[in-house]
Amino acid sequence: MSQLVIEGLRAAVGGQEILKGVNLVVGSGEVHAVMGPNGSGKSTLSHVIAGRPGYEVLGGSVRIDDTKLLGLPAWKRAEAGLFLAMQYPTEVPGVALSDLLGASARMVADPDEIREMMSEEAARIGFDEAFLDRPLNVDLSGGEKKRNETIQLGVLKPAFAILDELDSGLDVDALRMVSKRVEDATREDGLGVLAITHYSRLFEQLQPDTVHVFADGRIQETGGPDLATELEDTGYQRWMGEPAAKPASAVALADDPFADPFA
Ligand code: ADP
Ligand code: MG
């Protein structure tokens, strides 16, 4: 039983504080949903945890058990058991998924074994094996990129996975297979999941234990699985402060029928 522990995490990008104190503990086999409006800092959270350069950590800590992650380069965080399925997977011309996984998994498996695992993973999510040898993500649809990410997850078997909008771009059938694959990993391998999404449809196969509302750089509320469906109905307005005031000209126009509409 392992834990991914995020404590008081604060971070800035472009001189602006985006993460304003994030606290979250994910245990092995658990699924935590993180739902929140656009621009609230969800991808920033995933990038800071995974070690993408360009972010300034202002405070707090992230660890897997006793291993502190924030000082480590991304590859060492991966070695410690962390995996990130990116919202916008990177295109890497000249490098196939088979090359990438061959290099990253060679410490734990021999090349034939890796190839076999990749084929098995492709079959589990109904993905054409031809994609395994094409340049990574180049000219792929959004959904195909997300299935590439899922194959990596299946082969690398991390302890914890952050899924940043893994559902975006997937059609209904692909979504069902991909989310079932992740759910199976939580049972078979004890994978702990931090699933960032806007839509509760991800959670038809992948059962969340806990749902967090993320807005304005921090977790605002935590609840059970029902919170996901509730959020899809109600939106995030109540955590986003007052709606913007009407522009003065619009008020004047509504109140004064003789006002110059072009003023
Ligand atoms: P979310 O994933 O919740 O939609 P993001 O984490 O992508 O939100 O972005 C949070 C905020 O940080 C946004 O206002 C975005 O414009 C800003 N931001 C993200 N990356 C950068 C960057 N490299 N430089 C400046 N601002 C950024
Ligand atoms: Mg995002």
Side-chain angles (χ1 to χ4, degrees), residues 221-258:
E221 192 169 325
T222 293
D226 292 347
L227 185 55
T229 359
E230 187 191 322
L231 286 168
E232 204 162 290
D233 293 339
T234 61
Y236 305 104
Q237 206 58 52
R238 66 191 131 130
W239 293 280
M240 293 175 69
E242 294 299 309
K246 276 199 247 174
S249 59
V251 175
L253 200 58
D255 294 347
D256 179 4
F258 298 99

PDB file of all heavy atoms in Angstrom, residues 221-258:
ATOM      1  N   GLU A 221     -13.978  21.645  -2.387  1.00  0.00           N
ATOM      2  CA  GLU A 221     -14.940  20.765  -1.727  1.00  0.00           C
ATOM      3  C   GLU A 221     -14.608  19.326  -2.086  1.00  0.00           C
ATOM      4  O   GLU A 221     -14.101  19.058  -3.178  1.00  0.00           O
ATOM      5  CB  GLU A 221     -16.360  21.109  -2.201  1.00  0.00           C
ATOM      6  CG  GLU A 221     -17.427  20.455  -1.361  1.00  0.00           C
ATOM      7  CD  GLU A 221     -18.830  20.999  -1.658  1.00  0.00           C
ATOM      8  OE1 GLU A 221     -18.963  22.200  -1.955  1.00  0.00           O
ATOM      9  OE2 GLU A 221     -19.766  20.185  -1.582  1.00  0.00           O
ATOM     10  N   THR A 222     -14.869  18.419  -1.184  1.00  0.00           N
ATOM     11  CA  THR A 222     -14.611  16.997  -1.427  1.00  0.00           C
ATOM     12  C   THR A 222     -15.853  16.208  -1.054  1.00  0.00           C
ATOM     13  O   THR A 222     -16.495  16.509  -0.052  1.00  0.00           O
ATOM     14  CB  THR A 222     -13.395  16.544  -0.580  1.00  0.00           C
ATOM     15  OG1 THR A 222     -12.225  17.202  -1.087  1.00  0.00           O
ATOM     16  CG2 THR A 222     -13.174  15.048  -0.668  1.00  0.00           C
ATOM     17  N   GLY A 223     -16.201  15.242  -1.902  1.00  0.00           N
ATOM     18  CA  GLY A 223     -17.401  14.453  -1.619  1.00  0.00           C
ATOM     19  C   GLY A 223     -17.296  13.065  -2.226  1.00  0.00           C
ATOM     20  O   GLY A 223     -16.237  12.659  -2.698  1.00  0.00           O
ATOM     21  N   GLY A 224     -18.416  12.367  -2.234  1.00  0.00           N
ATOM     22  CA  GLY A 224     -18.471  11.012  -2.786  1.00  0.00           C
ATOM     23  C   GLY A 224     -18.796  11.047  -4.269  1.00  0.00           C
ATOM     24  O   GLY A 224     -18.889  12.115  -4.868  1.00  0.00           O
ATOM     25  N   PRO A 225     -18.973   9.875  -4.881  1.00  0.00           N
ATOM     26  CA  PRO A 225     -19.215   9.765  -6.324  1.00  0.00           C
ATOM     27  C   PRO A 225     -20.396  10.604  -6.827  1.00  0.00           C
ATOM     28  O   PRO A 225     -20.366  11.097  -7.956  1.00  0.00           O
ATOM     29  CB  PRO A 225     -19.498   8.278  -6.527  1.00  0.00           C
ATOM     30  CG  PRO A 225     -18.902   7.593  -5.363  1.00  0.00           C
ATOM     31  CD  PRO A 225     -18.899   8.552  -4.236  1.00  0.00           C
ATOM     32  N   ASP A 226     -21.415  10.789  -5.982  1.00  0.00           N
ATOM     33  CA  ASP A 226     -22.595  11.554  -6.423  1.00  0.00           C
ATOM     34  C   ASP A 226     -22.249  12.994  -6.779  1.00  0.00           C
ATOM     35  O   ASP A 226     -22.937  13.618  -7.583  1.00  0.00           O
ATOM     36  CB  ASP A 226     -23.670  11.575  -5.329  1.00  0.00           C
ATOM     37  CG  ASP A 226     -24.264  10.197  -5.131  1.00  0.00           C
ATOM     38  OD1 ASP A 226     -24.018   9.330  -5.995  1.00  0.00           O
ATOM     39  OD2 ASP A 226     -24.962  10.002  -4.119  1.00  0.00           O
ATOM     40  N   LEU A 227     -21.190  13.505  -6.163  1.00  0.00           N
ATOM     41  CA  LEU A 227     -20.805  14.894  -6.425  1.00  0.00           C
ATOM     42  C   LEU A 227     -20.472  15.105  -7.907  1.00  0.00           C
ATOM     43  O   LEU A 227     -20.725  16.169  -8.464  1.00  0.00           O
ATOM     44  CB  LEU A 227     -19.617  15.274  -5.527  1.00  0.00           C
ATOM     45  CG  LEU A 227     -19.109  16.716  -5.541  1.00  0.00           C
ATOM     46  CD1 LEU A 227     -20.225  17.712  -5.241  1.00  0.00           C
ATOM     47  CD2 LEU A 227     -17.970  16.894  -4.533  1.00  0.00           C
ATOM     48  N   ALA A 228     -19.930  14.085  -8.576  1.00  0.00           N
ATOM     49  CA  ALA A 228     -19.574  14.207  -9.995  1.00  0.00           C
ATOM     50  C   ALA A 228     -20.812  14.483 -10.848  1.00  0.00           C
ATOM     51  O   ALA A 228     -20.809  15.379 -11.702  1.00  0.00           O
ATOM     52  CB  ALA A 228     -18.863  12.943 -10.480  1.00  0.00           C
ATOM     53  N   THR A 229     -21.865  13.739 -10.614  1.00  0.00           N
ATOM     54  CA  THR A 229     -23.102  13.936 -11.392  1.00  0.00           C
ATOM     55  C   THR A 229     -23.731  15.281 -11.052  1.00  0.00           C
ATOM     56  O   THR A 229     -24.215  15.987 -11.939  1.00  0.00           O
ATOM     57  CB  THR A 229     -24.131  12.819 -11.081  1.00  0.00           C
ATOM     58  OG1 THR A 229     -23.564  11.905 -10.145  1.00  0.00           O
ATOM     59  CG2 THR A 229     -24.529  12.091 -12.328  1.00  0.00           C
ATOM     60  N   GLU A 230     -23.684  15.634  -9.786  1.00  0.00           N
ATOM     61  CA  GLU A 230     -24.243  16.914  -9.348  1.00  0.00           C
ATOM     62  C   GLU A 230     -23.520  18.077 -10.045  1.00  0.00           C
ATOM     63  O   GLU A 230     -24.157  18.997 -10.556  1.00  0.00           O
ATOM     64  CB  GLU A 230     -24.088  17.021  -7.830  1.00  0.00           C
ATOM     65  CG  GLU A 230     -24.771  18.223  -7.212  1.00  0.00           C
ATOM     66  CD  GLU A 230     -24.347  18.387  -5.747  1.00  0.00           C
ATOM     67  OE1 GLU A 230     -24.188  17.370  -5.046  1.00  0.00           O
ATOM     68  OE2 GLU A 230     -24.157  19.550  -5.334  1.00  0.00           O
ATOM     69  N   LEU A 231     -22.194  17.968 -10.129  1.00  0.00           N
ATOM     70  CA  LEU A 231     -21.408  19.041 -10.742  1.00  0.00           C
ATOM     71  C   LEU A 231     -21.741  19.196 -12.217  1.00  0.00           C
ATOM     72  O   LEU A 231     -21.767  20.314 -12.750  1.00  0.00           O
ATOM     73  CB  LEU A 231     -19.912  18.745 -10.603  1.00  0.00           C
ATOM     74  CG  LEU A 231     -19.344  18.940  -9.217  1.00  0.00           C
ATOM     75  CD1 LEU A 231     -17.952  18.352  -9.136  1.00  0.00           C
ATOM     76  CD2 LEU A 231     -19.321  20.422  -8.867  1.00  0.00           C
ATOM     77  N   GLU A 232     -21.986  18.047 -12.873  1.00  0.00           N
ATOM     78  CA  GLU A 232     -22.292  18.139 -14.289  1.00  0.00           C
ATOM     79  C   GLU A 232     -23.606  18.895 -14.498  1.00  0.00           C
ATOM     80  O   GLU A 232     -23.778  19.594 -15.490  1.00  0.00           O
ATOM     81  CB  GLU A 232     -22.362  16.738 -14.908  1.00  0.00           C
ATOM     82  CG  GLU A 232     -22.109  16.781 -16.388  1.00  0.00           C
ATOM     83  CD  GLU A 232     -21.747  15.431 -16.951  1.00  0.00           C
ATOM     84  OE1 GLU A 232     -20.654  14.931 -16.662  1.00  0.00           O
ATOM     85  OE2 GLU A 232     -22.570  14.878 -17.685  1.00  0.00           O
ATOM     86  N   ASP A 233     -24.530  18.774 -13.547  1.00  0.00           N
ATOM     87  CA  ASP A 233     -25.805  19.498 -13.644  1.00  0.00           C
ATOM     88  C   ASP A 233     -25.665  20.963 -13.239  1.00  0.00           C
ATOM     89  O   ASP A 233     -26.178  21.854 -13.899  1.00  0.00           O
ATOM     90  CB  ASP A 233     -26.860  18.847 -12.732  1.00  0.00           C
ATOM     91  CG  ASP A 233     -27.229  17.457 -13.230  1.00  0.00           C
ATOM     92  OD1 ASP A 233     -26.996  17.182 -14.422  1.00  0.00           O
ATOM     93  OD2 ASP A 233     -27.731  16.657 -12.421  1.00  0.00           O
ATOM     94  N   THR A 234     -24.958  21.205 -12.129  1.00  0.00           N
ATOM     95  CA  THR A 234     -24.970  22.560 -11.554  1.00  0.00           C
ATOM     96  C   THR A 234     -23.829  23.441 -12.046  1.00  0.00           C
ATOM     97  O   THR A 234     -23.907  24.658 -11.921  1.00  0.00           O
ATOM     98  CB  THR A 234     -24.883  22.496 -10.014  1.00  0.00           C
ATOM     99  OG1 THR A 234     -23.647  21.862  -9.672  1.00  0.00           O
ATOM    100  CG2 THR A 234     -26.031  21.696  -9.425  1.00  0.00           C
ATOM    101  N   GLY A 235     -22.757  22.846 -12.579  1.00  0.00           N
ATOM    102  CA  GLY A 235     -21.596  23.649 -12.964  1.00  0.00           C
ATOM    103  C   GLY A 235     -20.821  24.096 -11.727  1.00  0.00           C
ATOM    104  O   GLY A 235     -21.051  23.603 -10.620  1.00  0.00           O
ATOM    105  N   TYR A 236     -19.915  25.049 -11.938  1.00  0.00           N
ATOM    106  CA  TYR A 236     -18.969  25.422 -10.885  1.00  0.00           C
ATOM    107  C   TYR A 236     -19.191  26.843 -10.383  1.00  0.00           C
ATOM    108  O   TYR A 236     -18.366  27.385  -9.661  1.00  0.00           O
ATOM    109  CB  TYR A 236     -17.536  25.286 -11.410  1.00  0.00           C
ATOM    110  CG  TYR A 236     -17.257  23.912 -11.950  1.00  0.00           C
ATOM    111  CD1 TYR A 236     -17.212  23.673 -13.319  1.00  0.00           C
ATOM    112  CD2 TYR A 236     -17.071  22.841 -11.081  1.00  0.00           C
ATOM    113  CE1 TYR A 236     -16.983  22.403 -13.809  1.00  0.00           C
ATOM    114  CE2 TYR A 236     -16.841  21.572 -11.560  1.00  0.00           C
ATOM    115  CZ  TYR A 236     -16.796  21.348 -12.930  1.00  0.00           C
ATOM    116  OH  TYR A 236     -16.574  20.095 -13.407  1.00  0.00           O
ATOM    117  N   GLN A 237     -20.314  27.455 -10.796  1.00  0.00           N
ATOM    118  CA  GLN A 237     -20.522  28.877 -10.528  1.00  0.00           C
ATOM    119  C   GLN A 237     -20.354  29.235  -9.054  1.00  0.00           C
ATOM    120  O   GLN A 237     -19.766  30.237  -8.706  1.00  0.00           O
ATOM    121  CB  GLN A 237     -21.911  29.311 -11.030  1.00  0.00           C
ATOM    122  CG  GLN A 237     -22.003  30.784 -11.377  1.00  0.00           C
ATOM    123  CD  GLN A 237     -20.997  31.198 -12.445  1.00  0.00           C
ATOM    124  OE1 GLN A 237     -20.922  30.592 -13.485  1.00  0.00           O
ATOM    125  NE2 GLN A 237     -20.208  32.224 -12.151  1.00  0.00           N
ATOM    126  N   ARG A 238     -20.846  28.336  -8.180  1.00  0.00           N
ATOM    127  CA  ARG A 238     -20.818  28.702  -6.756  1.00  0.00           C
ATOM    128  C   ARG A 238     -19.414  28.774  -6.170  1.00  0.00           C
ATOM    129  O   ARG A 238     -19.205  29.291  -5.087  1.00  0.00           O
ATOM    130  CB  ARG A 238     -21.736  27.792  -5.935  1.00  0.00           C
ATOM    131  CG  ARG A 238     -21.328  26.343  -5.851  1.00  0.00           C
ATOM    132  CD  ARG A 238     -22.456  25.514  -5.242  1.00  0.00           C
ATOM    133  NE  ARG A 238     -22.703  24.347  -6.055  1.00  0.00           N
ATOM    134  CZ  ARG A 238     -22.775  23.108  -5.558  1.00  0.00           C
ATOM    135  NH1 ARG A 238     -22.663  22.912  -4.273  1.00  0.00           N
ATOM    136  NH2 ARG A 238     -22.987  22.088  -6.352  1.00  0.00           N
ATOM    137  N   TRP A 239     -18.421  28.228  -6.874  1.00  0.00           N
ATOM    138  CA  TRP A 239     -17.038  28.344  -6.382  1.00  0.00           C
ATOM    139  C   TRP A 239     -16.252  29.411  -7.125  1.00  0.00           C
ATOM    140  O   TRP A 239     -15.072  29.568  -6.922  1.00  0.00           O
ATOM    141  CB  TRP A 239     -16.305  27.005  -6.513  1.00  0.00           C
ATOM    142  CG  TRP A 239     -16.866  25.968  -5.623  1.00  0.00           C
ATOM    143  CD1 TRP A 239     -16.628  25.813  -4.275  1.00  0.00           C
ATOM    144  CD2 TRP A 239     -17.770  24.928  -5.990  1.00  0.00           C
ATOM    145  NE1 TRP A 239     -17.333  24.750  -3.797  1.00  0.00           N
ATOM    146  CE2 TRP A 239     -18.043  24.180  -4.809  1.00  0.00           C
ATOM    147  CE3 TRP A 239     -18.381  24.561  -7.173  1.00  0.00           C
ATOM    148  CZ2 TRP A 239     -18.896  23.079  -4.814  1.00  0.00           C
ATOM    149  CZ3 TRP A 239     -19.225  23.463  -7.182  1.00  0.00           C
ATOM    150  CH2 TRP A 239     -19.482  22.748  -6.006  1.00  0.00           C
ATOM    151  N   MET A 240     -16.924  30.099  -8.025  1.00  0.00           N
ATOM    152  CA  MET A 240     -16.193  31.018  -8.897  1.00  0.00           C
ATOM    153  C   MET A 240     -16.448  32.475  -8.593  1.00  0.00           C
ATOM    154  O   MET A 240     -16.179  33.344  -9.403  1.00  0.00           O
ATOM    155  CB  MET A 240     -16.541  30.736 -10.363  1.00  0.00           C
ATOM    156  CG  MET A 240     -16.019  29.379 -10.804  1.00  0.00           C
ATOM    157  SD  MET A 240     -16.533  28.973 -12.467  1.00  0.00           S
ATOM    158  CE  MET A 240     -15.600  30.146 -13.421  1.00  0.00           C
ATOM    159  N   GLY A 241     -17.002  32.766  -7.412  1.00  0.00           N
ATOM    160  CA  GLY A 241     -17.260  34.158  -7.054  1.00  0.00           C
ATOM    161  C   GLY A 241     -18.450  34.679  -7.822  1.00  0.00           C
ATOM    162  O   GLY A 241     -19.169  33.937  -8.488  1.00  0.00           O
ATOM    163  N   GLU A 242     -18.661  35.995  -7.729  1.00  0.00           N
ATOM    164  CA  GLU A 242     -19.801  36.637  -8.373  1.00  0.00           C
ATOM    165  C   GLU A 242     -19.625  36.628  -9.884  1.00  0.00           C
ATOM    166  O   GLU A 242     -18.512  36.801 -10.375  1.00  0.00           O
ATOM    167  CB  GLU A 242     -19.899  38.094  -7.903  1.00  0.00           C
ATOM    168  CG  GLU A 242     -20.230  38.237  -6.427  1.00  0.00           C
ATOM    169  CD  GLU A 242     -21.576  37.623  -6.067  1.00  0.00           C
ATOM    170  OE1 GLU A 242     -22.563  37.951  -6.762  1.00  0.00           O
ATOM    171  OE2 GLU A 242     -21.638  36.799  -5.141  1.00  0.00           O
ATOM    172  N   PRO A 243     -20.726  36.445 -10.666  1.00  0.00           N
ATOM    173  CA  PRO A 243     -20.601  36.607 -12.109  1.00  0.00           C
ATOM    174  C   PRO A 243     -20.207  38.041 -12.445  1.00  0.00           C
ATOM    175  O   PRO A 243     -20.511  38.960 -11.675  1.00  0.00           O
ATOM    176  CB  PRO A 243     -21.995  36.276 -12.648  1.00  0.00           C
ATOM    177  CG  PRO A 243     -22.902  36.234 -11.466  1.00  0.00           C
ATOM    178  CD  PRO A 243     -22.069  36.099 -10.227  1.00  0.00           C
ATOM    179  N   ALA A 244     -19.520  38.221 -13.565  1.00  0.00           N
ATOM    180  CA  ALA A 244     -19.041  39.558 -13.935  1.00  0.00           C
ATOM    181  C   ALA A 244     -20.214  40.533 -14.048  1.00  0.00           C
ATOM    182  O   ALA A 244     -21.293  40.162 -14.523  1.00  0.00           O
ATOM    183  CB  ALA A 244     -18.312  39.465 -15.266  1.00  0.00           C
ATOM    184  N   ALA A 245     -20.015  41.766 -13.563  1.00  0.00           N
ATOM    185  CA  ALA A 245     -21.074  42.775 -13.632  1.00  0.00           C
ATOM    186  C   ALA A 245     -21.355  43.125 -15.090  1.00  0.00           C
ATOM    187  O   ALA A 245     -20.476  43.034 -15.940  1.00  0.00           O
ATOM    188  CB  ALA A 245     -20.620  44.019 -12.870  1.00  0.00           C
ATOM    189  N   LYS A 246     -22.626  43.474 -15.345  1.00  0.00           N
ATOM    190  CA  LYS A 246     -22.967  43.891 -16.717  1.00  0.00           C
ATOM    191  C   LYS A 246     -22.207  45.164 -17.061  1.00  0.00           C
ATOM    192  O   LYS A 246     -22.046  46.039 -16.204  1.00  0.00           O
ATOM    193  CB  LYS A 246     -24.460  44.206 -16.793  1.00  0.00           C
ATOM    194  CG  LYS A 246     -25.318  42.987 -17.027  1.00  0.00           C
ATOM    195  CD  LYS A 246     -26.667  43.419 -17.550  1.00  0.00           C
ATOM    196  CE  LYS A 246     -27.768  43.139 -16.554  1.00  0.00           C
ATOM    197  NZ  LYS A 246     -29.064  43.653 -16.962  1.00  0.00           N
ATOM    198  N   PRO A 247     -21.748  45.311 -18.305  1.00  0.00           N
ATOM    199  CA  PRO A 247     -21.076  46.553 -18.656  1.00  0.00           C
ATOM    200  C   PRO A 247     -22.034  47.739 -18.489  1.00  0.00           C
ATOM    201  O   PRO A 247     -23.242  47.592 -18.675  1.00  0.00           O
ATOM    202  CB  PRO A 247     -20.691  46.376 -20.125  1.00  0.00           C
ATOM    203  CG  PRO A 247     -21.171  45.028 -20.545  1.00  0.00           C
ATOM    204  CD  PRO A 247     -21.823  44.359 -19.389  1.00  0.00           C
ATOM    205  N   ALA A 248     -21.489  48.884 -18.121  1.00  0.00           N
ATOM    206  CA  ALA A 248     -22.298  50.068 -17.844  1.00  0.00           C
ATOM    207  C   ALA A 248     -23.231  50.397 -19.007  1.00  0.00           C
ATOM    208  O   ALA A 248     -24.400  50.731 -18.819  1.00  0.00           O
ATOM    209  CB  ALA A 248     -21.384  51.255 -17.541  1.00  0.00           C
ATOM    210  N   SER A 249     -22.749  50.247 -20.230  1.00  0.00           N
ATOM    211  CA  SER A 249     -23.559  50.619 -21.381  1.00  0.00           C
ATOM    212  C   SER A 249     -24.796  49.726 -21.492  1.00  0.00           C
ATOM    213  O   SER A 249     -25.883  50.178 -21.827  1.00  0.00           O
ATOM    214  CB  SER A 249     -22.740  50.536 -22.669  1.00  0.00           C
ATOM    215  OG  SER A 249     -22.271  49.224 -22.821  1.00  0.00           O
ATOM    216  N   ALA A 250     -24.650  48.451 -21.147  1.00  0.00           N
ATOM    217  CA  ALA A 250     -25.786  47.531 -21.223  1.00  0.00           C
ATOM    218  C   ALA A 250     -26.841  47.910 -20.190  1.00  0.00           C
ATOM    219  O   ALA A 250     -28.035  47.863 -20.465  1.00  0.00           O
ATOM    220  CB  ALA A 250     -25.318  46.106 -20.986  1.00  0.00           C
ATOM    221  N   VAL A 251     -26.403  48.309 -18.995  1.00  0.00           N
ATOM    222  CA  VAL A 251     -27.338  48.726 -17.950  1.00  0.00           C
ATOM    223  C   VAL A 251     -28.097  49.961 -18.430  1.00  0.00           C
ATOM    224  O   VAL A 251     -29.323  50.023 -18.378  1.00  0.00           O
ATOM    225  CB  VAL A 251     -26.585  49.050 -16.636  1.00  0.00           C
ATOM    226  CG1 VAL A 251     -27.552  49.602 -15.597  1.00  0.00           C
ATOM    227  CG2 VAL A 251     -25.896  47.798 -16.107  1.00  0.00           C
ATOM    228  N   ALA A 252     -27.371  50.935 -18.942  1.00  0.00           N
ATOM    229  CA  ALA A 252     -27.999  52.185 -19.392  1.00  0.00           C
ATOM    230  C   ALA A 252     -29.036  51.907 -20.483  1.00  0.00           C
ATOM    231  O   ALA A 252     -30.146  52.424 -20.452  1.00  0.00           O
ATOM    232  CB  ALA A 252     -26.929  53.133 -19.922  1.00  0.00           C
ATOM    233  N   LEU A 253     -28.690  51.006 -21.391  1.00  0.00           N
ATOM    234  CA  LEU A 253     -29.580  50.698 -22.507  1.00  0.00           C
ATOM    235  C   LEU A 253     -30.883  50.064 -22.011  1.00  0.00           C
ATOM    236  O   LEU A 253     -31.985  50.428 -22.445  1.00  0.00           O
ATOM    237  CB  LEU A 253     -28.858  49.729 -23.453  1.00  0.00           C
ATOM    238  CG  LEU A 253     -29.384  49.643 -24.872  1.00  0.00           C
ATOM    239  CD1 LEU A 253     -29.341  51.011 -25.522  1.00  0.00           C
ATOM    240  CD2 LEU A 253     -28.541  48.662 -25.667  1.00  0.00           C
ATOM    241  N   ALA A 254     -30.742  49.137 -21.046  1.00  0.00           N
ATOM    242  CA  ALA A 254     -31.928  48.454 -20.541  1.00  0.00           C
ATOM    243  C   ALA A 254     -32.821  49.413 -19.762  1.00  0.00           C
ATOM    244  O   ALA A 254     -34.037  49.344 -19.854  1.00  0.00           O
ATOM    245  CB  ALA A 254     -31.497  47.296 -19.639  1.00  0.00           C
ATOM    246  N   ASP A 255     -32.209  50.342 -19.001  1.00  0.00           N
ATOM    247  CA  ASP A 255     -32.988  51.220 -18.131  1.00  0.00           C
ATOM    248  C   ASP A 255     -33.550  52.428 -18.865  1.00  0.00           C
ATOM    249  O   ASP A 255     -34.555  53.008 -18.462  1.00  0.00           O
ATOM    250  CB  ASP A 255     -32.108  51.726 -16.963  1.00  0.00           C
ATOM    251  CG  ASP A 255     -31.727  50.561 -16.051  1.00  0.00           C
ATOM    252  OD1 ASP A 255     -32.346  49.495 -16.209  1.00  0.00           O
ATOM    253  OD2 ASP A 255     -30.806  50.721 -15.242  1.00  0.00           O
ATOM    254  N   ASP A 256     -32.930  52.865 -19.926  1.00  0.00           N
ATOM    255  CA  ASP A 256     -33.328  54.097 -20.603  1.00  0.00           C
ATOM    256  C   ASP A 256     -33.600  53.828 -22.075  1.00  0.00           C
ATOM    257  O   ASP A 256     -32.683  53.691 -22.875  1.00  0.00           O
ATOM    258  CB  ASP A 256     -32.207  55.144 -20.457  1.00  0.00           C
ATOM    259  CG  ASP A 256     -32.559  56.447 -21.162  1.00  0.00           C
ATOM    260  OD1 ASP A 256     -33.705  56.540 -21.688  1.00  0.00           O
ATOM    261  OD2 ASP A 256     -31.690  57.336 -21.223  1.00  0.00           O
ATOM    262  N   PRO A 257     -34.904  53.738 -22.448  1.00  0.00           N
ATOM    263  CA  PRO A 257     -35.235  53.397 -23.833  1.00  0.00           C
ATOM    264  C   PRO A 257     -34.771  54.450 -24.836  1.00  0.00           C
ATOM    265  O   PRO A 257     -34.697  54.169 -26.032  1.00  0.00           O
ATOM    266  CB  PRO A 257     -36.757  53.277 -23.824  1.00  0.00           C
ATOM    267  CG  PRO A 257     -37.220  53.944 -22.579  1.00  0.00           C
ATOM    268  CD  PRO A 257     -36.095  53.921 -21.611  1.00  0.00           C
ATOM    269  N   PHE A 258     -34.429  55.665 -24.349  1.00  0.00           N
ATOM    270  CA  PHE A 258     -34.007  56.716 -25.259  1.00  0.00           C
ATOM    271  C   PHE A 258     -32.484  56.833 -25.360  1.00  0.00           C
ATOM    272  O   PHE A 258     -31.983  57.684 -26.072  1.00  0.00           O
ATOM    273  CB  PHE A 258     -34.589  58.073 -24.816  1.00  0.00           C
ATOM    274  CG  PHE A 258     -36.096  58.061 -24.852  1.00  0.00           C
ATOM    275  CD1 PHE A 258     -36.811  57.845 -23.668  1.00  0.00           C
ATOM    276  CD2 PHE A 258     -36.771  58.231 -26.037  1.00  0.00           C
ATOM    277  CE1 PHE A 258     -38.204  57.803 -23.697  1.00  0.00           C
ATOM    278  CE2 PHE A 258     -38.161  58.189 -26.075  1.00  0.00           C
ATOM    279  CZ  PHE A 258     -38.892  57.977 -24.908  1.00  0.00           C
TER     280      PHE A 258
END
